[in-house]
Amino acid sequence: MPERAQEILRSPGYWVTVWRRFLRDPVALLAALVVLGLILMAVFAPWIAPQDPFQGMSLQRLKPPGTEGYPLGTDELGRDMLSRLIHGARISLFMGIVPVLCALAIGAAIGVVAGYSGGWTNTLLMRTVDVFFAFPSVLLAVALAGALGPGLFNGLIALTLVFIPPIARVAESVTTGVRTRDYVEAAKASGAGALLIIRKHVLGNVLGPIFVYAMSLIAVSMILAAGLSFLGLGVKPPQPDWGLMLNTLRTAMYTQPLLCALPGVMIFITSIAFNLMTDGLRSAMDIKT
Amino acid sequence: MIFYASKRILFTLPIMLGVTIVCFALVHLAPGDPLVSVLPPDASQVIKEQMMALYGFDRPYHEQFLRWLWRALQGDIGTSIRTGRPVSTEISKAVGNTLMLAALATAIGFLLGTLFGFVAGYFRDTWVDKAASALSVFGVSVPHYWLGMVLVIIFAATLGWLPPTGAGPGGSEDWKWNWVHVQYLILPAVTMSVIPMGIIARTVRALVAEILSQEFVVGLRAKGLSELGVFGHVVKNAAPTALAVMGIQLGYLLGGSILIETVFAWPGTGLLLNDAIFQRDLPLLQGTILVLAMFFVVLNLVVDVMQTILDPRIQRA
């Protein structure tokens, strides 16, 4: 076998290349480790947290960080801040990831169908998407959550609806780009049906960019969800949630400033980790956006 | 050009209709009785029905929608259930405050964002570039409502330099452009400016890097044009896109001001929206969202048309 052919045979696949490039990016790798740590913290919260996040001691209210027995202090009802922050990761990560996944499934389906079909189907689907795009995302989330009323599930619905239009738009434009490629034309000419072509030729080429785009929305979704909780439109007390904690601790802004900034620090760390990880993945996959 | 503009306006009309349908549907999505906030819980059935008829809630949906739309076209978007005043009056009081805040924030964000973006684009892969990228990651990652709280803690609670919340001694009624009032605007505007700053810095950096790598820049330098002259060309090429991004950002800030206005108790549309939600004042909620969304649609249209005028290279069919 000639050397060149051997080289081609031995060359690693696309995802292996992406993975290797990602590993060489120290910032992205660190961010990914932080994300992994946060996910583990959320999953094992009941075992890690030193105290019950719901149990308050009325004599120990608003203790500053560093108080004995309460390394990060206590909140306005005397509950251990550290334990509440650890448990808070559960709702925050859930509200960061799940709405984006739901929107990814629906939005990608809309976008791929619209992009592949073209014509009237495209016009009908994409103009409907445009209507939701006409609302700034914060306004749409607040409007939907405000109309539906507070609660975790309503927040989930509101955020999913917020993220369907942008994902559908990206999916549509990527699919439109792939549709006229030679290999799709060839498949059509050899008599392949639309479903088969979408499954075998379109999805493999469009899912990567759509997925990376969706990942960049996780931080947005988490910040928005925490914002809804901050307004009182998210989960209900006494549920430990970073956004809600920011809201209830606002009254202590003058007496315990450090304490009441803590939940926001967690939101910030999480969103920055997700953003840097996505940036790293995007450059590893060489997607220019 | 005029052809393109009129075509673009024509395409916006169905979107506007869609927006009105969504705003109308929002109220009917809401669980429970729309009159729950005005009627006492023990109101008799007769009174309930009278009130329903008064507000038109007893008619079929499509009829309610058409009546609402017809009135909205004439500038009447309903009456606030809580205050009894027209929704348009309530909004027009608030919208000026939000516009002032959002415009100032966009201006700060645009100035700093273009500055960082230009520096980063010119000195790519140096520490300046890395610092500017870090700043733009900060801008898009920070929960701005929390940043607002932190700024209040630092500059109002600890240092005592600026007032923490509100819009000055006269409240929203009596705004004047003097220090007594303007000092209330500084913290919310700075907080708000962080989002557009990050996005504009990122956009301008990419634009400048892309322009500098083009052949005409090499040509300009080869003919002996000074760096300042080259810079002028870069600005001219980057301006249309940067300004378009700025316009869109202004729209996002106008519509998304609720969190910052809540933190700073700034009497704008966001605070109005907050009141409307928690007092279950559905006509006010519906009207405010409608006005803000329409603003955003029109702003997008203007930005799009302006961009075509500023940048004739953009071919628009």
Side-chain angles (χ1 to χ4, degrees), chain B residues 95-304:
Chain B
V95 86
N97 288 328
T98 299
L99 198 60
M100 189 159 74
L101 178 62
L104 185 63
T106 314
I108 300 172
F110 183 73
L111 280 176
L112 292 178
T114 38
L115 180 72
F116 293 135
F118 262 105
V119 173
Y122 254 93
F123 304 100
R124 250 191 308 169
D125 299 322
T126 61
W127 67 269
V128 193
D129 182 20
K130 292 210 174 77
S133 322
L135 209 71
S136 70
V137 172
F138 172 84
V140 294
S141 302
V142 71
H144 51 276
Y145 39 94
W146 171 74
L147 183 68
M149 284 173 70
V150 171
L151 291 181
V152 168
I153 289 171
I154 297 173
F155 292 100
T158 313
L159 297 171
W161 291 353
L162 292 164
T165 54
S172 57
E173 307 294 319
D174 183 31
W175 177 266
K176 285 184 195 68
W177 283 102
N178 56 22
W179 176 244
V180 180
H181 287 86
V182 169
Q183 58 176 348
Y184 286 86
L185 188 58
I186 295 174
L187 285 183
V190 168
T191 309
M192 211 184 220
S193 72
V194 168
I195 313 165
M197 187 197 70
I199 291 165
I200 290 169
R202 209 176 249 208
T203 314
V204 170
R205 179 192 178 273
L207 277 171
V208 169
E210 206 260 335
I211 294 163
L212 283 176
S213 70
Q214 279 180 26
E215 279 175 356
F216 82 91
V217 176
V218 182
L220 289 174
R221 285 189 175 136
K223 80 166 190 187
L225 192 69
S226 67
E227 261 320 297
L228 200 68
V230 175
F231 178 75
H233 279 273
V234 175
V235 171
K236 211 175 146 190
N237 276 278
T241 312
L243 287 173
V245 173
M246 185 186 86
I248 305 286
Q249 285 303 311
L250 176 66
Y252 275 115
L253 294 189
L254 278 174
S257 62
I258 179 166
L259 285 156
I260 286 180
E261 288 185 8
T262 306
V263 172
F264 290 101
W266 182 259
T269 47
L271 210 59
L272 195 67
L273 208 55
N274 198 340
D275 289 346
I277 289 169
F278 288 102
Q279 300 175 343
R280 307 263 350 127
D281 192 341
L282 293 172
L284 186 61
L285 177 71
Q286 191 179 40
T288 313
I289 293 168
L290 179 72
V291 170
L292 289 174
M294 283 301 171
F295 226 96
F296 192 59
V297 174
V298 173
L299 196 73
N300 271 312
L301 176 73
V302 172
V303 165
D304 203 50

Side-chain angles (χ1 to χ4, degrees), chain A residues 130-131 134-136 138-139 142-143 146-148 223 226-227 230-231 246 250 253-254 257 261 264-265 267-268 271-272 275 279, chain B residues 15 18 26 29-31 138 141-143 145-146 149 152-153 157 164 202 255 258-259 262-263 273 277-278 280 289 293 296-297:
Chain A
D130 282 348
V131 169
F135 294 86
V138 180
L139 183 67
V142 168
L148 291 167
I223 291 180
F230 178 70
L231 291 174
L246 269 184
R250 262 168 81 193
M253 215 147 77
Y254 291 90
V265 174
I267 303 175
F268 189 28
S271 82
I272 228 171
N275 277 334
D279 280 353
Chain B
I15 304 246
L26 270 178
L29 245 153
F138 172 84
S141 302
V142 71
Y145 39 94
W146 171 74
M149 284 173 70
V152 168
I153 289 171
R202 209 176 249 208
I258 179 166
L259 285 156
T262 306
V263 172
L273 208 55
I277 289 169
F278 288 102
R280 307 263 350 127
I289 293 168
F296 192 59
V297 174

Side-chain angles (χ1 to χ4, degrees), chain A residues 11 38 62 110 165 178 201 247 270:
Chain A
S11 79
L38 285 164
L62 291 171
I110 294 175
V178 167
H201 301 289
N247 181 358
T270 314

